[in-house]
Amino acid sequence: MSTETEPATVAAEEVTPHREPVLRTVVRNPTVVTFAVLVVIILGFTVAEPSLFFQGDNFLQIAQNVAILTVVSVGTTFVIITAGVDLSIPAGIVLGEVFSVKALAMVGGLDADADATNAGYILAALAGGVLAGLVIGGINGLVVAYLRVPPLLATLGTLGAGLGMALVLQKGVNTATYALDPVGHGHLVPGVPNLIWIGLIAVVAGFVLLHMAVFGRHTYAIGSNPESARRAGINVERHLLKVYLIGGLTSGIAGFLSVSYFSTTSIGGHSTDNLQAITAVALGGTSLFGGIGSIIGTLIGVWIPAILNNGLVITGVQPYWQQVAVGFVLIAAVWFDQLRRRSRDRF
Amino acid sequence: MTTVDGNGAATVPVLSAHRVVKTFGQVRALRGASFEAYPGEVTALVGDNGAGKSTLIKILAGALPPDEGEVRVDGELVRFANPHDAKDRGIETVYQDLALAPDLDAPANVFLGREIRRFRYLHNHAEMRRRTAAAFRELGVGLVQDMRAPVAAFSGGQKQSVAIARAAMWASKVIIMDEPTAALGVIQTEKVLDLIKRVRDRGIAVVFISHNLPEVLQVADRIEVLRLGSRVARFRRGESDVDRLIAAISGAYTNEEEVTAA
């Protein structure tokens, strides 16, 4: 279990004379600070519009809206903790959409209605999305880890190439399908949309892999000091490849989910999904310099812009203020990260 | 290879190099250098800049292959392909630039790459923390209370202690240190030197490079002097002083019968 998520409870285990005060430890924890910001925003809107904003249905709606972004952001968290970045997310998503409908067409399920579809069609489409994600993530990983191209430019390259490839494969035209509607609009559990469960699964899987698995430990180590990881016997290149594969995989799955939700590909869309994901991860306290971050922080970081947007609409303020606010909150979050590092590091 | 130690008993060096040659392009870094380290002894390797100390240590640690000559562990000829081969033989190295991951805590650093696992894929951090705390306590590293802080928050001496303690926890035979006290203040240096002695007292051979000759005389059981890529002098504790060491380092003194011709 990581110290990031629960410093207060574990601190009591080993009683020591000159520890930092618990309060200071808590405030220094970026996840706690971000969570406090989220709570303040929710309280503010609740006071302003209690009858409309603070409703179970409203939160369910928001959760469904952010589910796809949540999946992508979990993958992006891993990438950013290695001090990398993945700008190719829109390409992964759009290619995921395209591969999903191509796979559907191959198994003859493209024109199936929502009631006539079956698990085979859905699994085929999912496999298509996964394949697209692994291809683009694999290219990212090989180029970043083995050719040592800086991730910003490597993934900028695959962003353009992937979006172009999607247009080529689709000949510039979107494909509609209702075969995946049970995923995007179904309720396996009454009252809770499937997308919410999928987002939750991504969060739990990401949490286990990052905070509880040796894989996550090595991810932090590589982001913190790749040379130390290498000397400790970790195959840094192979690990980075895996991390970018995870980033690509979550994008590809997001593409599959996007087709399921919107019932069509959107080859011209998703252009700011990479920035949204990176914003969420950074808001959640994950350091763009690597070595620090958490999945729970990312989850909170996904919710802050979503809550702002939703609350502004409900309170009748122009929702475009959300973009303005998130922009400044992002700058503040990264600034805090740097302050925290400077006050912590000793030489 | 076998020499007679101070008590008159024959001892096999736990780690030794014999007539090692290493060339980098036009530069002959090592010209037939020999070296021995014995269990339970601190062996200091001294010499001027460019004498070949770091190159020799890298060869002993498995980070560089020798062009010619032999490396032996317990008298057995070995060829290290990489530092992991050396680690498998119980030889750990503490590098000058520490090689810690600053954002990880001490247990995570100590067990990095050798994590205690459960369910195959998950790490058992609680157990790693317990074992690290126990080892630190045993070695007298006073960081047990900071088991959850990232090592970036530690002072230089504390970081060096973590790096040495990590090596001590895994080394069964030899710990090699490249200038372990170079960046430290007086008090921190004392603590690190104490730690080196405690590691030695556990029967480990400690090899260290230092430019600080009083420090070398204080802590080393044996001193080997390199000059221009070969060994020019060997001293046991008490056989040398700063002046004689300087003479050996600068080429004015030698007690090696067969200094390899340049």
Side-chain angles (χ1 to χ4, degrees):
Chain A
M1 192 64 67
S2 93
T3 49
E4 304 276 321
T5 47
E6 40 181 19
T9 51
V10 287
E13 201 176 290
E14 279 163 14
V15 182
T16 53
H18 60 279
R19 270 197 78 84
E20 282 199 336
V22 171
L23 183 67
R24 232 175 97 199
T25 320
V26 167
V27 171
R28 273 163 176 256
N29 186 324
T31 311
V32 175
V33 175
T34 324
F35 186 67
V37 170
L38 179 64
V39 169
V40 167
I41 295 171
I42 291 177
L43 283 178
F45 284 128
T46 305
V47 170
E49 270 307 338
S51 56
L52 287 173
F53 176 77
F54 203 76
Q55 297 293 325
D57 283 353
N58 190 36
F59 284 107
L60 272 183
Q61 184 60 52
I62 298 172
Q64 185 176 12
N65 291 347
V66 299
I68 296 176
L69 181 61
T70 305
V71 172
V72 178
S73 301
V74 166
T76 306
T77 307
F78 282 84
V79 173
I80 292 186
I81 286 176
T82 67
V85 71
D86 186 356
L87 294 182
S88 71
I89 289 166
I93 295 177
V94 169
L95 273 183
E97 294 178 348
V98 171
F99 276 42
S100 286
V101 295
K102 295 281 180 203
L104 262 182
M106 262 194 261
V107 295
L110 194 59
D111 299 321
D113 276 338
D115 355 320
T117 192
N118 61 45
Y121 293 162
I122 291 171
L123 285 177
L126 175 62
V130 166
L131 178 65
L134 291 180
V135 167
I136 202 155
I139 296 173
N140 285 337
L142 290 173
V143 171
V144 169
Y146 292 95
L147 305 184
R148 300 182 191 252
V149 175
L152 190 77
L153 291 166
T155 57
L156 187 62
T158 48
L159 170 65
L163 289 175
M165 200 63 218
L167 290 168
V168 169
L169 289 172
Q170 290 290 104
K171 300 192 172 66
V173 184
N174 276 311
T175 306
T177 177
Y178 298 98
L180 306 177
D181 277 21
V183 176
H185 296 279
H187 299 72
L188 231 50
V189 178
V192 184
N194 289 342
L195 281 182
I196 294 181
W197 294 110
I198 293 168
L200 201 62
I201 290 168
V203 168
V204 171
F207 186 90
V208 171
L209 191 59
L210 184 62
H211 296 296
M212 296 169 72
V214 171
F215 183 89
R217 176 62 56 82
H218 291 179
T219 306
Y220 283 110
I222 288 171
S224 191
N225 179 358
E227 194 50 37
S228 79
R230 189 168 287 118
R231 287 186 192 165
I234 297 167
N235 187 333
V236 173
E237 285 75 26
R238 198 173 64 197
H239 195 92
L240 276 177
L241 172 60
K242 288 182 194 166
V243 165
Y244 280 90
L245 279 172
I246 291 172
L249 177 69
T250 54
S251 299
I253 292 175
F256 160 76
L257 295 175
S258 182
V259 179
S260 310
Y261 189 55
F262 295 108
S263 305
T264 175
T265 61
S266 39
I267 51 177
H270 299 290
S271 56
T272 63
D273 284 11
N274 47 3
L275 301 181
Q276 287 183 44
I278 294 165
T279 301
V281 171
L283 282 180
T286 294
S287 173
L288 300 174
F289 307 102
I292 299 175
S294 76
I295 292 290
I296 300 303
T298 295
L299 183 61
I300 299 167
V302 167
W303 274 78
I304 287 179
I307 290 274
L308 270 178
N309 198 39
N310 176 274
L312 291 173
V313 170
I314 286 179
T315 50
V317 182
Q318 277 197 66
Y320 308 118
W321 282 109
Q322 179 255 19
Q323 292 182 30
V324 180
V326 168
F328 285 114
V329 171
L330 175 66
I331 293 171
V334 175
W335 181 55
F336 275 130
D337 174 41
Q338 284 181 321
L339 282 185
R340 204 165 46 237
R341 272 179 183 256
R342 266 181 246 152
S343 72
R344 180 200 72 179
D345 291 4
R346 287 167 68 179
F347 298 99
Chain B
M1 279 282 106
T2 308
T3 59
V4 177
D5 74 6
N7 305 321
T11 319
V12 179
V14 61
L15 179 62
S16 65
H18 185 60
R19 294 179 169 274
V20 167
V21 174
K22 184 71 189 176
T23 308
F24 300 102
Q26 297 294 315
V27 182
R28 297 189 71 192
L30 293 177
R31 317 173 181 212
S34 297
F35 177 84
E36 284 107 36
Y38 296 89
E41 284 191 349
V42 176
T43 307
L45 185 59
V46 300
D48 207 352
N49 290 334
K53 306 185 297 290
S54 291
T55 306
L56 178 57
I57 267 187
K58 281 180 184 153
I59 287 171
L60 292 172
L64 283 176
D67 296 340
E68 290 171 35
E70 300 174 341
V71 174
R72 288 174 184 270
V73 176
D74 286 332
E76 186 190 335
L77 187 64
V78 292
R79 287 190 200 287
F80 297 141
N82 54 54
H84 302 296
D85 288 355
K87 284 184 178 191
D88 290 343
R89 291 282 190 151
I91 301 167
E92 291 284 326
T93 308
V94 180
Y95 293 95
Q96 206 166 1
D97 51 354
L98 294 172
L100 297 174
D103 299 301
L104 301 186
D105 60 14
N109 268 292
V110 162
F111 283 91
L112 187 59
R114 305 185 254 216
E115 288 81 4
I116 300 174
R117 293 171 185 246
R118 49 182 178 177
F119 308 120
R120 190 151 174 222
Y121 294 106
L122 305 185
H123 58 68
N124 186 345
H125 194 67
E127 179 61 23
M128 291 190 268
R129 195 164 52 227
R130 256 191 301 281
R131 290 201 199 172
T132 305
F136 280 16
R137 220 174 279 123
E138 191 191 335
L139 289 164
V141 176
L143 289 169
V144 178
Q145 72 279 10
D146 292 320
M147 279 296 147
R148 292 163 195 284
V151 297
F154 291 178
S155 70
Q158 290 172 323
K159 283 180 195 154
Q160 189 62 268
S161 297
V162 172
I164 295 174
R166 169 169 73 178
M169 283 175 69
W170 296 105
S172 56
K173 291 192 174 126
V174 184
I175 295 182
I176 300 172
M177 299 185 217
D178 191 357
E179 301 207 46
T181 61
L184 305 183
V186 177
I187 295 170
Q188 294 182 340
T189 297
E190 279 307 313
K191 286 189 172 166
V192 166
L193 293 182
D194 280 346
L195 178 55
I196 289 175
K197 289 179 199 158
R198 274 192 294 273
V199 171
R200 171 199 60 193
D201 293 343
R202 288 158 50 136
I204 306 286
V206 178
V207 177
F208 84 109
I209 291 184
S210 177
H211 285 288
N212 184 330
L213 298 181
E215 176 185 304
V216 165
L217 290 164
Q218 178 197 337
V219 76
D221 299 301
R222 292 176 59 256
I223 303 170
E224 302 214 350
V225 184
L226 269 187
R227 177 174 154 72
L228 300 176
S230 32
R231 181 167 65 192
V232 295
R234 274 181 278 187
F235 303 102
R236 297 206 57 81
R237 180 186 287 283
E239 288 176 1
S240 182
D241 54 31
V242 170
D243 290 338
R244 181 162 288 184
L245 277 181
I246 289 174
I249 289 168
S250 59
Y253 173 89
T254 176
N255 63 12
E256 288 287 301
E257 295 111 36
E258 37 150 359
V259 175
T260 317

